[in-house]
Structure formats: C-alpha cells, structure tokens
C-alpha cells in the first residue's frame, strides 16, 4: 500500500477541499504525491488554518474523487473506466496536473505473449487498410494509409493526420519524436515530415554522378540510431546500397555498402537494425521463389564500413539443415541475439551476436506435439522480437516463443530454451494473412493483408469473466 | 445506522468511550470498538479503535461505508452492486479486511449443490484447451492449459499466467493460493511451482531402480501430507510417495511395485489419490485397459503402517472414475462399460474384504442395473467427484447430481447395512446449459463448482446466487 498512508491518524497535515460542492478531506502528502508542479500540490502549499473554510475547486466532484483515489492508492479504480472515458480522465488529470500519475496507473500490464488478447482494432476513418505503421516506446502509433499518416497517442486515441505528397507509403520510421521518415515503393527517395506541424521537411535521394545506374532509388529499409539513419536504397536496375544519413542535417553523410543485386545474396536489404551496444548495423534480405527461400544476413561496422560477418542461405550452415533456409530474420537488440525462422521445419534458431562464427545457430525444436506444424510450405512468415520474446506470424496465425524461467535448483541443462505457444485463437487466424508485427510500449500491433485497421494485443491481469446467468 | 450508533447520538459521543468517531476522506462515521475489532487484531481498524487521537483515514468514504456494513452485519449491503468488486478488494486489503470479505462472499459453507447454476465463463488466452484444474478452499482456481498455468484469484476478477517446463500438465494440486504442485505423465518429476513469479521452487523425484526418470500419475493431499503417484519412465515400477506438505520432505513410501512378470495388477499405477479424512486413509485407484477389457483396483492405504486396509478389485464393469465421500460414508464409481453410477458403503467394506469366500459384488447400482452392456464403453471419460453431501458425475457434456434421500435415519446409523440406501439424481443446469462439449474435469472451491470441457478455452463457473455481488 501507499507509503503516505502508513500512519493514517496523523492529523496535522489534513486538508479540506470543496470540489464542486462536495466536501472532501485528505492529507497534504496525498495531494503532493501528484508531483511538485501539480495544481493540487500548489493548493496544498497554501498556509493552513485549521478552522478555515475548505479550499474551493470549481470542477466536477465525481471525476475528482477518482483522481483522489488514484493519488491515495496509486492505482486507478476499475469502476472509474466504466463511468468515465480515459479521455475525460486525462483532460481532468491535466487540469490538476496529475497526468503523469494517471498515465503510469493506466498503462497496460507487461506484454507477455503467452497471455495476450486482442483488445482493440485501430481503424482510421478513410482508406483504413494500413500500408505500414510505426509504434513508439510509449505505446503510441503512426499509421500510414493511402498516402497519409494518422497519429494515435499513447492511449491510442486519434490525435491528427498528415497528408504527404506520396501516393502510398510503404516505409515509416521515427527519426525524432515528431519527425517521420517515409518512403514509397512507387516513388524514389526518402522524405521527412514534421508531424506536429504537418509540414514537409526535406528529402534524401541516392545519386551518384559517376554511376548512371544509380537513379530513381527507392527506400526499402531504415534503421534509426541517435546520430544517423541507415537506409537501404534500391534502383530499378537492382543496384542497391546502404546510405548513412546525418540526423541533424537530414543529408547523406556516407555510403556504407553498394552492390548490384543480380543474385539473392546481394539484393537490397529488406530489414536493417542498428545495435546500440556495439554500433553495428545488421541487414538482411529474404526472397522466395519457386525453389524456396534464399537470402543473406550481413553485419556492417559503420565506422570502418566493413562487413564484419555474413551468412547466405541456402549454402552455408549445417548440412542437416540443408533446404531449410530462413524465411525471416530479426534482431533482439537488447539481448544481442539474432533470430531466424526456418522455412521448412518451422524451427526457430538463435545466434549470439557477440560470438558469430561459422555456424552460430542454436536450433529450438518444438517439443509440443499438439503445436506441430502440419503444413510445411508457408507462404508468409514474419518474425518480430519484442521484450525478450519472439513473435511469429505464419500466414494468419500468431505465435510466440518465450523463455522458460530458469530453475531455482540446479538443472541438468543450463541452456535457456524457448517455448512456443499460440497467442491467438483459430478464428483470429482466419481474418487474414499477417503483414506486419511491431511492439510498442506494452502492446503488440498487428496488421493483416487487405484488412482494415491495426490489431492491438495486450496482456492483462483482468480475468475478463463473462457472465452467462440470466 | 446500527443500534449502537443510535445510543451514542443521545449521549455525548466522546464521553461514551465505546463509541468511536472516524473521519474517512471527509465523511464522519460512528461505530463501536467491538465493530471495528471484527476484522481481527491485525487489521488497521482494530489499531484505530485503540488510538486516542482524532481518527482520520485518507481513503474513499464510499468504500469504507461498505466495509463498515460488512463489519457490523457480516454481509455486504445490496448497493455494493454499483461498485467494482476488485476496487472493494483493494480497499479491503488496505484496511486488512480481505479475508473477512472473502469469507462473506465465497464461504465454502455457503455451497449449495441444488442452487448451482452456470454463471460465469473465464476465458483463457491462446489455443490450448484446459487439461486440468486445481482449487483452494478460498475459491482460488488454477487452470493448466498447454504448457501454461493460469491462476484466478478468489474474486475471479484478476488472473496471472506462467509458463511451465511441461508440454502439458496432467496433474495439478493447489498447496496454497500461490503455490501448486504440478506433474505430467510424459515429464519426469513433480514440480512445486510459485504461481506468482512462475519459478520452479523445487523438483521432487522418486528414485526408481531403473533410474529412468519418474513421471507423475496423480497428486493428492491431506492437511499434513502431499501424496504423489510416480511411475518409472520404463513403466516397470510404480510407487506412492508421501511428503510433508509444509517442508516437502519425504515422509514415507507406500505401495511400491516392481513388475517382473505378467502380473498385471501391480503394473497399474494409481491415477487418482484422495485423502479420506474420516477414516485417515488414502484412496488410490488405477485402471488398465487391455485385451480382456478394463481392469483396475481401488486401494485404501494406512500411511502409518504402510498397509492396504482394504482393496476392491475391478474386473467386470471397472470404474471409469471413482470418488469417496466422507459425509456419505460411501465410495462411488462410474462403470466404464455401463456408464451407470454405483456405490458401496464404506462402513461395510472392511467386513466384505475379510471374508475371503464372499466374492459377491460390493457395488450397488444406482441407475439402470439391468441395462444390457453391449460392449460399448458408455462410461468412457466420465468423471465423478463428491463435494459436501452430494456426488457430481459428468456424462459427456452433462452433470448428474446424486444426493441421498434419508429414509428413517436411525436405522442407517445403528442397524446392519442390509437396507439399501436411496440415492436420486438430478441433471444440473437449465435447458440451455445441457449438452455441450465433453466435460474433462470438475473441481470445487469456495462456494463454487468449476468445470472444464474438451476443446473449450475457458473455465465455467457454477455458483449459487450470492447476496450483493
């Protein structure tokens, strides 16, 4: 329980309030727990006279009593969200200056794939089939659809939309909290928009005076770092490369790699990740054709512009895994782990980025017979690492690989293994093929091919009991 | 306002030392010291009753008024419907009154089998169907589904899920609301799990001769002991281990069988363990399905001596499931072939097994005893459990409720048990609740019955109408 209530009988810091005609009594320490800048803290600092009239606040008393409960117990009463919308509560909390307390109390529970449920579907008002989206650490969302970007705040309520000059947006990245970098498959260049003002802020194109093959380069992947952006560009004649863009000037600062994409192992990188711990950039590309999947993973050091490590599949790795090339790759940047999902077996493999060698992969077999994949030839596999878990979209199905808790006793095998579980239900999978998975805050966002809106998955400790008696 | 409150209004409140005035969040409440101490000596209100200074509590007065009603009368007022149960629980935790609230809402003594109706569905996330279920007397329920265990608190408003090392949990027993014992028939060792943080507190293993690992076939418990039926990985030996429930140290081993020939009977590990409090015995039952049909045995063990006190061997119409009722002094089974419910009186069993020549069938059929058994296993998958004075038997998607009709009660307690006892059945639920998917488990906790079904990712709650909430 809250510390300020450990001694409830101390009389000297009691304070009387009259909110919209309702008399309330609380303590100065409770009011001050909203933060030093809050209106309530300011009120409580006024000189106190014990027999004085209560401090009058001309606001709604019902909402105030909810916010007072929040300050007293540090949790939002469950009944509050049934009586008031989160927007109402937020507006009122902003008035009293206790918005940060409301925000922390109304955050969803930690995202755990083994216990997550579909809580909402965010649908923009028009042209609601999202082409791509970007989620932020605070749980807010930018949805790109039909050439515009719709912004949703951390409560997932709509705030504004920005129309761009592009006809479709296939790539969106948060450069700064308000600056988005967008790219399109139908037109060249990487474009910057200030979403707070809705203004175009500039573009970057890949050009080379010496090489006529470099023209009309479109962006295919972006990675963000504190100082630079890394963007992979692809030309109509399959020349491709990774450019380093200075974030302060929004200009190209150097070229990291250039290759001619004549084979699968040098097509444009479809995924780029910057690792904060090492400063390395990891790029990967996967193409699928009649003969299955093929692709590469490449690690660059942007300081030396050298390839530090690379692997191509099929062609490298264990012979027992021949013909089982990866269908998608993702990087857990916090844990410095590389994950790939095998196209044929459906197994997940992980590699420690600190010790990448000839064959660094550790394969995770699915031990649960009831989860065994029956159909091998998957059309569409998407891998996304988030909060120490690996989310996998297979056609319409959503799965998660989660770490087992290590044994408190000494266990025979010290290797930590991952276990696979379904996040969704069978009927969820029938809604459509999963196109993109991204985590943000304690939420997982999922978009599906040709389906309007973005699904929001959250974990909750509410039981969600449904009454069936009549 | 209570009669105590009326008294104090006539006299000067502060002079009457028994009357207490409390300011909760700006609202004045008056009550007595006796009322405040109802929540036990450790509750915040008992401490408040003792203080001499002005009593002020910085909490919501609306919730306090509900809890004060609970302290005064032991029940919640009906206006509690307008409040959220979980908020009320949070508030009761602040005052140290949660157990009082728990007792008032889900008291096991309020269990009434005839009033149970399907009232709540607790959904489970993911695609796994529940495999087993465990309850505590306070009404907490733990559900194993796939490799996960989801726990619901006693109010069924909050849940938490942990990931286990099992691919599927086959046996689950709640030691406390936070601690459970879990085992599987394809995974070695009994794991004691902390359901709060998902960690394995301890692994209990039975060291069998072949050292091939030992799988868990059944778990049971009494107030002191934890019983676990183990089978060796090679399935050639089995045993029932008895552990101290508090320390989890092994106490003794009963019913250790090593199989060397074709001795079918000893090859059967116990798949159900139940403590029979009134007799101080452990019931262990197991069955085996072979070419000659299903055979099995029901043994009653005295854990002090390590001996079988009596045993029922099942050849014809072996049980599909069996349960023992302390209150009714009887064992009940569902026949695997007939699908009918049978009983045998516990008090007459000792005499039957002593008489070696008496090979008459101890079971008395409660249903249609003349039913032609046509080789179909009609009782397959049926579950039978006793709770209170009733026996609950699941058949497919339905639950039969068997209760005894007491006819001239004096004869039963005194005279010889020649007279047949009268049991009658009822089908539980309303018409819309009948049928449905096959029931795989029944459990009881608090004043509720919990039901899980095959291919249904949810737990069904059957309860009587509770006052207030």
């Amino acid at each position: 329980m809250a510390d300020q209530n450990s001694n409830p009988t101390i009389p000297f810091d009691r304070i009387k309030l009259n909110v919209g005609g309702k008399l309330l009594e609380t303590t100065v320490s409770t009011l001050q727990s909203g933060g030093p800048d809050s209106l309530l803290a300011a009120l409580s600092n006024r000189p106190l006279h014990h027999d004085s009239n209560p401090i009058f606040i001309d606001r709604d008393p019902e909402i105030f009593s909810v916010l007072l409960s929040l300050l007293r117990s540090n949790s939002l009463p469950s009944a509050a969200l049934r009586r008031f919308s989160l927007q109402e509560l937020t507006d009122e909390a902003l008035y009293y200056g206790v918005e940060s307390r409301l925000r922390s109390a109304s955050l969803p529970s930690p995202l755990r794939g083994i216990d997550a449920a579909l809580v909402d579907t965010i649908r923009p008002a028009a042209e609601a089939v999202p082409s791509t989206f970007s989620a932020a650490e605070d749980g807010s969302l930018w949805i790109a659809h039909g050439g515009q970007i719709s912004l949703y705040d951390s409560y997932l309520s709509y705030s504004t939309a920005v129309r761009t000059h592009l006809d479709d947006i296939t790539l969106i990245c948060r450069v700064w909290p308000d600056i988005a970098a967008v790219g399109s498959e139908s037109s060249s260049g990487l474009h910057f928009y200030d979403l707070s003002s809705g203004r175009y802020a500039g573009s970057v194109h890949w050009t080379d005076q010496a090489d006529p093959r470099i023209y009309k380069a479109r962006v295919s992947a972006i990675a963000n770092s504190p100082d630079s952006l890394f963007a992979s560009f692809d030309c109509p004649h399959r020349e491709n490369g990774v450019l380093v863009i200075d974030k302060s000037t929004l200009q190209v600062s150097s070229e990291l790699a250039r290759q001619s994409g004549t084979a699968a192992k040098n097509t444009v990188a479809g995924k780029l990740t910057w690792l904060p711990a090492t400063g390395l950039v990891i790029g990967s590309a996967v193409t699928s054709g009649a003969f299955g999947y093929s692709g590469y993973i490449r690690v660059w050091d942007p300081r030396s512009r050298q390839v530090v490590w690379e692997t191509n599949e099929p062609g490298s790795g264990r012979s027992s895994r021949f013909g089982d090339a990866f269908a998608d790759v993702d990087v857990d940047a916090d844990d410095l782990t590389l994950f790939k999902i095998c196209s044929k077996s459906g197994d997940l493999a992980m590699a420690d980025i600190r010790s990448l060698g000839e064959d660094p992969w550790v394969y995770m077999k699915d031990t649960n017979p009831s989860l065994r994949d029956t159909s091998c030839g998957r059309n569409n596999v998407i891998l996304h690492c988030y909060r120490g878990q690996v989310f996998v979209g297979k056609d319409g199905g959503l799965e998660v690989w989660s770490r087992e808790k290590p044994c408190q006793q000494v266990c025979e095998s010290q290797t930590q293994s991952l276990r696979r579980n379904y996040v969704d239900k069978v009927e969820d999978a029938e809604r459509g093929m999963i196109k993109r998975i991204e985590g943000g805050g304690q939420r997982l966002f999922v978009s599906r091919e040709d389906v309007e809106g973005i699904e929001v998955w959250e974990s909750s400790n509410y039981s969600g009991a449904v009454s069936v008696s009549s | 306002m209570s009669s105590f409150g009326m008294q104090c209004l006539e006299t000067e409140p502060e002079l009457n030392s028994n009357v207490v005035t409390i300011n909760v969040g700006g609202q004045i409440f008056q009550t007595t010291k006796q009322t405040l101490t109802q929540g036990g000596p450790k509750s915040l209100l008992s401490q408040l009753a003792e203080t001499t200074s002005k009593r002020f509590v910085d909490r919501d007065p609306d919730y306090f008024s509900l809890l004060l009603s609970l302290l005064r009368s032991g029940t919640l007022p009906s206006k509690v419907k307008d409040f959220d149960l979980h908020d009320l629980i949070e508030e009761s935790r602040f005052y140290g009154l949660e157990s009082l609230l728990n007792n008032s809402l889900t008291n096991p003594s309020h269990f009434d089998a005839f009033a149970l109706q399907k009232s709540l569905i607790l959904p489970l996330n993911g695609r796994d169907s529940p495999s087993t279920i465990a309850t505590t007397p306070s009404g907490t329920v733990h559900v194993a589904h796939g490799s996960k265990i989801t726990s619901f608190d006693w109010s069924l408003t909050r849940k938490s899920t942990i990931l286990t090392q099992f691919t599927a949990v086959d046996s689950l027993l709640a030691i406390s609301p936070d601690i459970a014992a879990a085992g599987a028939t394809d995974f070695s060792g009994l794991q004691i799990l902390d359901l709060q943080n998902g960690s394995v507190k301890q692994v209990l293993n039975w060291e069998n001769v072949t050292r091939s690992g030992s799988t868990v076939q059944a778990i049971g418990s009494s107030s002191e002991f934890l019983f676990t039926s183990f089978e060796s990985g090679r399935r050639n030996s089995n045993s029932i281990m008895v552990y101290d429930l508090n320390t989890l140290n092994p106490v003794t081993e009963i019913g250790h069988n090593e199989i060397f020939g074709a001795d079918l009977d000893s090859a059967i590990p116990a798949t159900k363990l139940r403590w029979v409090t009134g007799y101080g015995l452990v019931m262990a039952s197991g069955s085996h399905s072979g070419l000659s049909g299903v055979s099995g045995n029901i043994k009653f063990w005295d854990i002090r001596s390590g001996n079988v006190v009596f045993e029922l061997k099942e050849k014809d119409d072996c049980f599909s499931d069996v349960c023992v009722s302390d209150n009714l002094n009887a064992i009940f089974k569902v026949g695997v072939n007939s699908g009918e419910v049978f009983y045998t009186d516990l008090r007459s069993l000792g005499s039957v097994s002593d008489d070696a020549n008496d090979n008459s069938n101890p079971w008395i059929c409660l249903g249609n005893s003349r039913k032609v058994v046509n080789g179909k296993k009609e009782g397959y998958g049926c579950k039978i459990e006793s709770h209170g004075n009733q026996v609950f038997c699941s058949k497919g998607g339905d639950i039969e409720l068997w209760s005894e009709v007491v006819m001239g009660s004096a004869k039963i307690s005194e005279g010889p048990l020649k007279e047949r006892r009268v049991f009658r059945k009822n089908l539980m639920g309303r018409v819309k609740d009948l049928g449905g998917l096959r029931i795989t488990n029944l459990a009881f906790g608090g004043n509720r019955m919990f039901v899980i079904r095959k291919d249904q990712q949810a737990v069904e709650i059957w309860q009587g109408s509770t006052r207030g909430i």
Side-chain angles (χ1 to χ4, degrees):
Chain A
M1 268 300 127
D3 288 339
Q4 69 263 28
N5 292 313
S6 56
N7 193 349
T9 53
I10 295 175
F12 53 79
D13 69 346
R14 279 159 61 178
I15 184 165
K16 284 181 184 167
L17 299 170
N18 176 352
V19 183
K22 191 178 175 184
L23 293 172
L24 297 144
E25 202 164 341
T26 182
T27 58
V28 172
S29 54
T30 298
L31 290 184
Q32 284 176 344
S33 69
D37 301 330
S38 74
L39 173 71
L40 292 178
L43 282 178
S44 65
N45 282 337
R46 297 212 307 207
L48 279 175
H49 312 287
H50 265 290
D51 301 322
S52 66
N53 287 330
I55 299 170
F56 182 74
I57 307 173
D58 190 14
R59 298 299 282 194
D60 180 69
E62 296 294 316
I63 301 190
F64 181 77
S65 73
V66 169
L67 296 176
L68 189 57
S69 288
L70 170 72
L71 293 180
R72 279 168 174 158
S73 65
N74 213 8
S75 67
L76 195 64
S78 313
L81 288 172
R82 283 206 295 265
R83 283 160 61 207
F84 306 104
S85 75
L86 200 51
Q87 193 61 51
E88 273 178 294
L89 289 171
T90 311
D91 290 348
E92 207 66 7
L94 275 169
Y95 175 83
Y96 294 109
V98 294
E99 203 252 357
S100 62
R101 288 289 296 273
L102 179 70
R103 187 178 291 269
S104 63
S106 58
L107 276 182
S109 309
L111 178 70
R112 296 177 74 223
I114 57 162
D115 186 27
L118 180 65
V119 292
D120 202 0
T121 302
I122 311 285
R123 287 189 187 87
E127 296 194 61
V129 178
S131 52
T132 186
F133 63 90
S134 166
E137 205 38 47
D138 64 352
S140 62
L141 186 65
W142 294 351
I143 305 179
H145 57 111
Q148 54 185 327
I149 304 168
S150 290
L151 277 68
Y152 293 82
D153 67 10
S154 61
Y155 298 118
L156 293 181
S157 51
Y158 171 79
S159 54
T160 181
V162 173
R163 172 68 217 197
T164 67
H165 71 281
L166 296 164
D167 287 333
D168 71 318
I169 299 168
T170 48
L171 201 72
I172 183 163
C173 172
R174 287 169 195 255
V175 183
W176 301 107
D178 282 330
I179 307 283
V182 292
S184 167
E185 236 164 43
S186 56
S187 65
S188 62
L190 182 66
H191 313 284
F192 299 98
Y193 276 86
D194 183 340
L195 297 183
S196 59
S197 63
R199 280 168 193 278
Y200 169 76
S203 293
V204 165
H205 291 273
W206 187 28
T207 50
D208 188 346
Q209 299 298 323
D211 193 342
R213 291 172 303 177
I214 309 297
Y215 73 107
K216 277 193 182 172
R218 292 160 306 189
V219 190
S220 134
I222 317 179
N224 196 6
S225 79
D227 314 316
S228 315
L229 280 182
F230 302 91
S232 65
F233 281 85
D234 190 22
C235 297
H237 287 233
R238 315 209 72 180
E239 291 292 314
N240 65 76
V242 179
L243 297 187
V244 185
I245 298 156
D246 189 304
K247 274 173 76 171
S248 50
T249 61
L250 299 180
Q251 294 298 321
V252 177
S253 59
S254 64
E255 193 175 312
L256 189 61
R258 183 188 290 205
Q259 57 193 359
S260 113
T262 48
K265 64 176 180 182
N266 44 32
T267 53
V268 65
K271 225 175 204 176
L272 284 175
T273 314
W274 178 77
L275 291 179
T278 57
L280 299 175
V281 176
I282 300 182
S284 64
V286 181
T287 51
S288 71
F291 299 101
Y293 286 89
S294 50
Y296 66 84
I297 306 169
R298 207 160 287 159
V299 184
W300 290 279
D301 190 334
R303 291 148 291 204
S304 65
R305 295 189 212 164
Q306 294 291 309
V307 174
V308 182
W309 181 81
E310 72 178 309
T311 185
N312 302 309
E313 283 193 19
S316 61
R318 217 175 289 178
S319 60
S320 63
R321 291 276 167 183
F322 208 73
D324 201 11
F326 54 75
D328 200 12
V329 176
D330 202 23
V331 183
D332 188 339
D334 304 323
D335 211 27
L336 288 175
T337 313
L338 204 56
F339 288 96
K340 68 170 185 177
I341 190 112
C342 300
S343 55
K344 201 172 162 196
S345 61
D347 292 347
L348 183 79
M350 56 196 277
D352 189 337
I353 293 173
R354 284 157 293 200
S355 59
L356 292 170
E358 191 65 20
D359 182 19
W361 299 107
V362 179
Y363 289 88
M364 227 73 54
K365 248 201 160 57
D366 196 355
T367 49
N368 192 344
S370 65
L371 282 175
R372 199 158 41 209
D373 260 340
T374 42
S375 55
C376 276
R378 290 280 176 184
N379 298 321
N380 185 41
V381 183
I382 284 171
L383 200 60
H384 181 70
C385 298
Y386 193 63
R387 304 261 158 159
Q389 299 158 89
V390 184
F391 294 91
V392 183
K394 280 188 185 164
D395 287 349
L398 183 62
E399 302 165 4
V400 65
W401 291 78
S402 3
R403 281 192 172 80
E404 272 174 16
K405 275 250 173 177
C407 214
Q408 281 180 7
Q409 288 178 329
V410 182
C411 284
E412 309 89 76
S413 57
Q414 287 296 320
T415 50
Q416 229 188 9
S417 67
L418 287 105
R419 301 289 300 274
R420 179 173 156 231
N421 277 289
Y422 279 110
V423 181
D424 60 352
K425 307 244 185 245
V426 180
E427 51 271 28
D428 293 322
E430 285 158 3
R431 272 196 298 272
M433 195 191 275
I434 291 178
K435 213 172 111 190
R436 185 176 170 82
I437 305 173
E438 196 174 317
Q442 300 294 355
R443 301 185 175 112
L444 193 75
F445 299 98
V446 175
S447 71
R448 295 178 192 264
E449 193 80 53
D450 297 329
V451 176
E452 288 195 333
I454 287 174
E455 294 174 5
V456 185
W457 293 75
E458 283 178 11
S459 292
S460 166
N461 52 16
Y462 286 88
S463 69
V466 182
S467 175
V468 290
S469 61
S470 49
Chain B
M1 195 157 276
S2 74
S3 56
F4 296 110
M6 294 307 283
Q7 280 170 16
C8 78
L9 284 179
E10 288 157 17
T11 57
E12 187 65 38
E14 296 305 322
L15 291 177
N16 189 339
S17 63
N18 199 31
V19 174
V20 176
T21 304
I22 309 175
N23 179 342
V24 181
Q27 205 164 313
I28 307 295
F29 293 88
Q30 287 193 318
T31 183
T32 58
K33 281 189 179 174
Q34 285 93 324
T35 302
L36 285 184
T37 48
Q38 290 294 311
K42 278 185 191 160
S43 81
L44 183 87
L45 295 179
S46 297
Q47 293 166 30
L48 261 182
E50 296 311 314
T51 53
T52 48
S53 59
K54 274 196 165 184
R55 298 174 182 90
F56 175 72
V57 187
D58 188 17
R59 299 297 283 196
D60 193 315
D62 295 341
Y63 285 96
F64 182 77
S65 88
L66 299 175
L67 293 169
L68 190 57
S69 295
L70 178 68
L71 287 170
R72 283 170 176 153
S73 65
T75 53
L76 287 164
S78 60
K79 70 174 174 184
V80 75
K81 284 195 208 85
D82 303 333
F83 293 83
D84 184 272
L85 177 58
H86 187 259
D87 293 344
L88 184 61
I89 293 168
E90 286 287 313
E91 211 64 14
S92 73
R93 277 189 198 140
F94 174 80
Y95 295 106
L97 299 173
E98 192 188 357
S99 60
L100 196 73
L101 188 64
N102 182 349
N103 246 318
S104 139
L105 292 174
T106 65
N107 198 322
S109 66
H110 296 164
F111 181 85
D112 181 354
F114 295 104
L116 291 180
Q117 47 182 320
K118 190 163 135 184
S119 55
L120 283 178
I121 300 278
L122 301 175
L124 299 169
N125 287 329
R127 293 193 194 177
D128 301 292
S129 299
S131 56
T132 183
I133 190 166
T135 54
T136 65
S138 66
T140 316
V141 59
H142 310 300
V143 194
H145 51 121
S147 53
K148 297 155 287 182
I149 298 175
T150 298
S151 308
F152 295 91
D153 73 345
W154 67 263
S155 66
L156 307 179
T157 59
R158 289 293 186 275
K159 70 167 180 353
S160 62
T161 299
I162 64 156
L163 188 66
T164 68
Q165 295 172 352
F166 303 100
T167 51
V169 178
D170 297 307
S171 315
L172 188 66
L173 183 117
I175 295 173
S176 75
D178 292 339
I179 309 290
T185 53
D186 61 353
F187 198 90
S188 185
L190 177 76
Q191 296 196 347
I192 309 297
L193 300 170
D194 185 327
L195 297 169
Q196 285 294 306
N197 60 20
S199 63
V200 181
K201 284 172 71 79
Q202 207 171 338
V203 178
L204 302 176
N205 261 305
W206 172 57
E207 294 291 331
N208 62 73
V209 180
T210 56
R211 302 194 178 280
S212 55
S214 38
T215 62
V216 174
Q217 302 291 321
I219 317 174
S221 72
S222 69
S223 55
E224 298 167 70
F225 302 112
L226 176 71
F227 314 105
T228 309
S229 165
F230 284 109
E231 187 180 34
S232 69
R234 291 185 186 165
R235 309 193 64 185
N236 57 358
S237 59
N238 58 65
S239 179
I240 298 169
M241 289 295 295
V242 181
Y243 301 96
D244 186 296
L245 194 59
N246 295 314
T247 63
L248 298 172
N249 290 327
V251 175
T252 180
E253 184 176 358
I254 53 175
H256 181 176
N257 288 316
E258 292 286 338
I259 297 120
F260 298 105
D263 181 9
L264 191 61
D265 204 33
S266 64
I268 303 172
T271 52
K272 191 165 191 172
L273 294 169
R274 286 288 184 274
W275 175 250
V276 193
T277 314
Y279 294 77
L281 300 173
V282 183
M283 183 202 77
S285 70
S287 65
H288 172 87
S289 175
L291 284 174
S292 55
V294 183
S295 61
N297 58 57
I298 305 165
K299 292 174 184 170
F300 285 83
W301 292 91
D302 181 344
I303 56 166
R304 283 183 192 80
S305 68
N307 291 329
V308 177
V309 179
F310 46 82
E311 177 175 2
L312 291 166
K313 290 205 174 175
E314 294 274 292
K315 290 279 188 293
D316 310 317
D317 201 11
C318 174
F319 60 86
S320 160
D321 194 13
V322 64
C323 74
V324 58
S325 169
D326 253 324
N327 293 9
L328 298 171
N329 281 304
I331 313 171
F332 295 84
K333 75 164 185 180
V334 203
V336 70
N337 295 325
S338 63
E340 296 293 331
V341 175
F342 296 80
Y343 89 95
T344 183
D345 203 292
L346 264 174
R347 289 163 295 188
S348 65
L349 266 178
S351 59
V352 172
S353 59
D354 286 347
D355 189 352
N357 297 325
D358 187 0
N359 53 7
S360 67
N361 188 354
W363 294 106
I364 299 162
C365 183
L366 292 176
N368 180 4
S369 56
R370 276 183 222 108
K371 192 168 171 181
V372 183
V373 177
N374 54 7
K376 266 195 209 161
K377 287 181 182 168
E378 297 207 2
Y380 176 77
C382 291
K383 294 283 167 192
I384 193 161
E385 292 292 342
S386 76
H387 190 69
N389 288 322
Q390 278 80 24
V391 173
F392 301 78
C393 177
S394 79
K395 285 185 182 168
D398 291 329
I399 305 167
E400 285 177 8
L401 171 67
W402 287 90
S403 38
E404 182 170 22
V405 186
V406 184
M407 321 276 281
S409 55
K411 280 181 186 170
I412 288 174
S413 55
E414 292 166 13
L417 293 149
K418 296 282 184 239
E419 205 162 322
R420 266 184 85 145
R421 295 166 68 181
V422 182
F423 289 92
R424 288 290 180 265
K425 77 170 173 187
N426 293 92
L427 210 52
M428 295 185 75
R430 297 175 198 280
V431 177
K432 66 177 171 62
D433 302 330
L434 299 181
L437 297 164
R438 184 164 67 80
I439 292 168
T440 51
N441 230 320
L442 291 170
F444 302 87
N447 59 351
R448 308 179 181 113
M449 175 171 78
F450 301 89
V451 176
I452 55 174
R453 296 173 191 265
K454 190 175 186 289
D455 297 330
Q456 178 178 290
Q457 291 102 28
V459 185
E460 263 174 46
I461 313 297
W462 293 60
Q463 58 189 4
S465 54
T466 319
R467 276 184 68 180
I469 295 185

